[in-house]
Amino acid sequence: QDEIGSNPRNADLRVEIGRILLHYGDRDRGISWLRSALNLQPDHVEATQLLQDVLDHAKPGRPTLGK
């Protein structure tokens, strides 16, 4: 948390936080961090891929992450 406070415009760090939150089941906050990374760096490939994966798994009829 100190690192994000000292460098709040670090998109890579925001993606890493988002990934960790998603891993531990905090989908909403994970998505929020991924979107914030994309707000800073719209062409961030990893953030785009992770967000797309999460949103694809949330579609009706698709299994949710971790299941």
Side-chain angles (χ1 to χ4, degrees), residues 10-31:
N10 185 329
D12 291 333
L13 185 56
R14 289 176 175 274
V15 171
E16 188 61 26
I17 292 169
R19 178 196 315 282
I20 291 167
L21 289 167
L22 291 171
H23 176 78
Y24 285 101
D26 194 341
R27 183 180 177 276
D28 291 339
R29 286 180 56 207
I31 288 171

Side-chain angles (χ1 to χ4, degrees), residues 1-66:
Q1 198 170 31
D2 289 339
E3 194 170 340
I4 195 74
S6 64
N7 192 0
R9 300 191 60 79
N10 185 329
D12 291 333
L13 185 56
R14 289 176 175 274
V15 171
E16 188 61 26
I17 292 169
R19 178 196 315 282
I20 291 167
L21 289 167
L22 291 171
H23 176 78
Y24 285 101
D26 194 341
R27 183 180 177 276
D28 291 339
R29 286 180 56 207
I31 288 171
S32 179
W33 280 95
L34 293 174
R35 286 184 172 153
S36 73
L38 288 169
N39 284 335
L40 293 171
Q41 188 178 336
D43 62 345
H44 198 289
V45 174
E46 187 177 6
T48 302
Q49 290 173 340
L50 282 170
L51 187 57
Q52 189 64 51
D53 287 349
V54 171
L55 296 177
D56 281 350
H57 281 93
K59 290 181 181 174
R62 302 274 320 254
T64 58
L65 290 177

